[in-house]
Every structure is written in structure tokens, then in C-alpha cells.
Amino acid sequence: MDKIKILYLVSTLKKCGPINILYGIIAGLDRSKFDIYILCLSEEGKDSAVERFKALPLKIYHLNNSRLLGLFKNKRAVQKMVDKLDIDLSHSHGIRADHINSRLKNVIRLNTIHNFPAEDYTLRYGKAKGMLMEIIHKRAIVKLDHPLACSKAISDKFNSIYGIATGFIQNGIDTNRFFPDKKLKHPLKVELGLPPDKRIFIVSSALTRLKNPQIILEAFNQIRDSRVHLLFLGSGELLEPLASKNKNGAVDFKGKVHNVSDYLKASDYFVSASLTEGLPNSVLEALGTGLPALLSNIPSHIEIVGHSYPYLFDPLDAADLHRKMEQVLDHDNRQLISAMERKINSEFSAGAMSEKYASLYLDHANKNALKL
């Protein structure tokens, strides 16, 4: 059988959750069965993962068009590449790539849906712009041959709220990078400039309204135990306002870092108060590293840990989160940690995710061959 040619469409390879997922998918594919191409619509910025992708056996192309120019040129350029390379499957990630993918011809069109537009875009961009983006993205997704959500929670929302049927393949993380190592905890605290004698709550996410970091600060500031520390990793519009109001030794804002796994291994507890998610890599990474995670009780978090997980909280109730913080400090969490680590390794690894995508690609390519 000839190799299946897959073209991945993205805006850029900027370092972020969806691009990490893309890397995990591609890295696990059998090159005896697949030829891989990546097409980026725009020029790479400074915070790009392009060099990491270049280490894989694949080809990367850039159109380098601005967003405005791309409205007129990108679709034609992508179609030309699909035809020239004789692409079998086009797999898009993100609203811009999905929009172009939905208009392509002579190719099987798939995507990965990383968010629920009605929630995500409004919180990120405001009501007017968010609603427009939601409409555009919905129209693109419904035209694809196989729209695919990154979680069952997102797939269920598309079906129940939009009336759009999607499949789903759950996100997975690199378990060779994110794993527990108790021997490194104290040395890493020292190396990273963290207080070695304190128990550290870590937040690893963008500091935006969607991620809801204010409630974490409010809950943490109610803890009377002086042996605790709160660490924020990530940037965003709320970084400076929050940092300026919390200038004390118990709270630390590190901004965006590229060694998240080290900070997780140095920490003791993880917190996510997100109002909406696709299937968050940050939570999978924390659980894979062996941290008890305090999680807002949104569907995507519950999909990972289950309804009976003891540290779910109402993301609009600081008192509820404070109670869960006190509980996690008081309880022996070793059994919970082991159970979650096993679950991540078996259900949410990048390897397992890539195998599911490979099966899907082969299934679609074979069905298309039969039609021909």
C-alpha cells in the first residue's frame, strides 16, 4: 500500500497547547505508513516550536501571509499544494486553518476542535468579536468531512448545543517528560529559586479571564498556614494587575517559562480554576507528574478525574476552593496520586492519542480508496 499523505494546517507553530498536541500526534506516527507535511499560514514569531518539529521526518512550508492578505490568497495556495503533493488527508487545527480546510477539494478533511467556541471566544475576545468568531468557526466545522473534538466534553457540547455531531480523540501528553521524581523536588526548588521549606501550589496557565486566576489568589490568601507558597507560570492581560496587587513573599509570578516540567516536579499541588477548557494539557501534565490537582468542576476536568474526585470546586466560589486547599494540605494523597498517574499513563499519553489518530487516518484513507 502506498503511504498516506497528510497535510497539517495551522496558523503558526507558536508554542501552545494545541501545537503540543499536534507534535504528540505526529511524533507517534509510523513513517512507513504516513508521509507528513505541515503548512503554516503565517510567519513564525519569536516563541515558535518550529525547530522541534524540524527534528522529525517531515516537511514544513510557510505561506508567510498576513491575516489580511491571507483572506485573499491562502485558500488558493493551500489547494494548489494539496493538488501538487497529491495529499490524501488534510488535518486542521484552529479557526483560520479550519476555515480554509472546509473549502478544500479533492482531499479528506479532518480537524481537531480544541475549544467550545461559545464559551472560549467570548471570554477571550469579548461578546461582539467572540460571537462573530463563533459563527465563522461553526460554519467551517460543519462542512468538514470528519470534525473531531479533543475531548468527549467538547463533543457532547457540539452535539447538544449546536446540533453538530463530532467524533473525539482525547488529548495526550508526553509521559517521558511529565512523571514524578521525588528525589528532584528539593534540588529543583533550590535551583529554581523557590522556598525549599514550603509546600507549593502551582498554577500553569495563561493569566486571562478564561483561566480565572483571581479566585485562586482569593482562596490562597485565606490560608493561615505560613508554610505554603503560591506560584504562577504564564503570561496574559491579568499578569501585571495581579502581580502589582500581590507583592508578598507567599505569591510568586514567574511569567512564561519553557521548563514547566521542572517547576511541576518542584511543586506539591496544582490548581486550575478555568471557566472552560477543551481537554487541558496543564492538568494532564500535573497529574502525570504526581501532583494532587485542585480543579474547577467543569466537564473537561471531570472527564479526566471523574465525578468522585475529592478536589473539585466551584470556580465562582473562593470559599469552596479555600476548603479544598485546606483539605489537600491535611490529607494523605498518596493513593490518589498513584491512581491518577496510572490513569494518565494508560488513557492520556501522547502515544495512545497518536495511535487513535493513526487508526482514524487509515480508516478514512481505506474507505476513500474503496470508493475510487
Side-chain angles (χ1 to χ4, degrees):
M1 187 179 94
D2 292 336
K3 289 185 183 181
I4 297 169
K5 295 183 178 181
I6 305 174
L7 178 67
Y8 292 96
L9 290 172
V10 294
S11 289
T12 69
L13 292 172
K14 179 182 178 181
K15 293 177 182 176
C16 62
I19 295 304
N20 288 336
I21 292 302
L22 175 61
Y23 182 90
I25 295 169
I26 293 174
L29 293 179
D30 184 348
R31 293 312 192 275
S32 70
K33 298 177 181 177
F34 303 100
D35 278 336
I36 308 301
Y37 307 85
I38 298 176
L39 179 57
C40 302
L41 304 177
S42 298
E43 187 177 0
E44 296 295 333
K46 293 181 180 179
D47 194 23
S48 172
V50 66
E51 294 302 322
R52 187 182 183 207
F53 279 86
K54 284 181 178 178
L56 299 174
L58 50 78
K59 293 183 180 179
I60 301 174
Y61 302 91
H62 285 81
L63 297 182
N64 291 333
N65 290 325
S66 67
R67 288 179 180 267
L68 179 60
L69 193 59
L71 291 174
F72 304 98
K73 289 192 172 184
N74 281 350
K75 189 268 177 181
R76 185 181 299 174
V78 176
Q79 184 66 64
K80 184 176 180 180
M81 182 166 290
V82 165
D83 295 338
K84 180 180 179 180
L85 297 175
D86 196 21
I87 296 295
D88 298 296
L89 297 161
S90 57
H91 185 166
S92 52
H93 294 256
I95 182 171
R96 293 176 66 207
D98 286 352
H99 179 64
I100 291 172
N101 197 14
S102 70
R103 299 161 63 201
L104 296 178
K105 300 183 184 301
N106 308 318
V107 67
I108 302 168
R109 303 162 303 166
L110 305 89
N111 79 330
T112 298
I113 306 165
H114 294 279
N115 62 10
F116 185 60
E119 299 169 346
D120 190 285
Y121 293 145
T122 302
L123 285 167
R124 287 181 188 272
Y125 304 108
K127 188 173 182 179
K129 185 176 180 180
M131 288 180 67
L132 177 61
M133 292 177 68
E134 177 193 1
I135 291 168
I136 292 171
H137 207 172
K138 279 172 56 182
R139 286 178 178 173
I141 288 170
V142 78
K143 293 177 182 177
L144 295 171
D145 300 309
H146 196 97
L148 200 67
C150 69
S151 68
K152 184 178 184 300
I154 295 298
S155 180
D156 287 346
K157 286 182 180 180
F158 264 80
N159 186 49
S160 63
I161 298 174
Y162 290 156
I164 299 174
T166 77
F168 71 90
I169 292 178
Q170 293 166 318
N171 285 347
I173 60 163
D174 183 352
T175 51
N176 292 318
R177 289 182 61 206
F178 296 97
F179 59 90
D181 195 333
K182 293 180 180 179
K183 293 179 180 178
L184 283 177
K185 190 175 292 289
H186 187 273
L188 280 173
K189 283 183 177 180
V190 174
E191 181 182 331
L192 297 170
L194 302 174
D197 58 336
K198 295 193 176 182
R199 291 185 285 179
I200 296 174
F201 289 90
I202 186 171
V203 182
S204 176
S205 70
L207 296 178
T208 62
R209 287 192 305 145
L210 184 151
K211 302 297 184 179
N212 196 27
Q214 305 96 314
I215 203 169
I216 300 174
L217 278 162
E218 186 179 345
F220 178 81
N221 287 332
Q222 296 176 39
I223 299 175
R224 295 292 171 251
D225 190 338
S226 62
R227 297 169 297 172
V228 295
H229 191 80
L230 178 60
L231 171 64
F232 284 94
L233 305 182
S235 59
E237 71 266 15
L238 296 181
L239 173 58
E240 290 188 11
L242 292 177
S244 64
K245 293 179 181 178
N246 292 274
K247 294 181 178 179
N248 63 70
V251 182
D252 197 359
F253 294 86
K254 291 291 185 182
K256 194 165 186 178
V257 302
H258 297 302
N259 55 339
V260 173
S261 61
D262 288 342
Y263 280 96
L264 289 172
K265 288 184 175 72
S267 299
D268 301 282
Y269 314 100
F270 178 85
V271 190
S272 172
S274 292
L275 300 174
T276 181
E277 289 283 359
L279 196 74
N281 291 358
S282 60
V283 173
L284 300 177
E285 290 165 359
L287 292 171
T289 306
L291 299 186
L294 293 84
L295 305 173
S296 53
N297 57 4
I298 59 175
S300 293
H301 285 163
I302 293 171
E303 182 173 341
I304 297 170
V305 298
H307 286 277
S308 63
Y309 186 76
Y311 300 126
L312 294 169
F313 64 88
D314 182 344
L316 302 179
D317 187 348
D320 190 19
L321 175 53
H322 172 247
R323 285 191 293 270
K324 294 305 187 323
M325 285 180 162
E326 296 285 5
Q327 288 173 18
V328 80
L329 288 167
D330 289 340
H331 291 176
D332 183 341
N333 297 293
R334 283 177 291 185
Q335 286 188 340
L336 180 70
I337 289 170
S338 296
M340 287 296 108
E341 184 190 349
R342 288 194 299 271
K343 189 171 187 179
I344 296 302
N345 285 322
S346 62
E347 299 179 29
F348 297 103
S349 71
M353 173 185 66
S354 186
E355 285 182 10
K356 292 173 185 175
Y357 274 104
S359 295
L360 186 71
Y361 296 152
L362 289 167
D363 184 53
H364 277 285
N366 288 336
K367 284 180 180 177
N368 193 57
L370 289 173
K371 289 178 184 178
L372 297 175

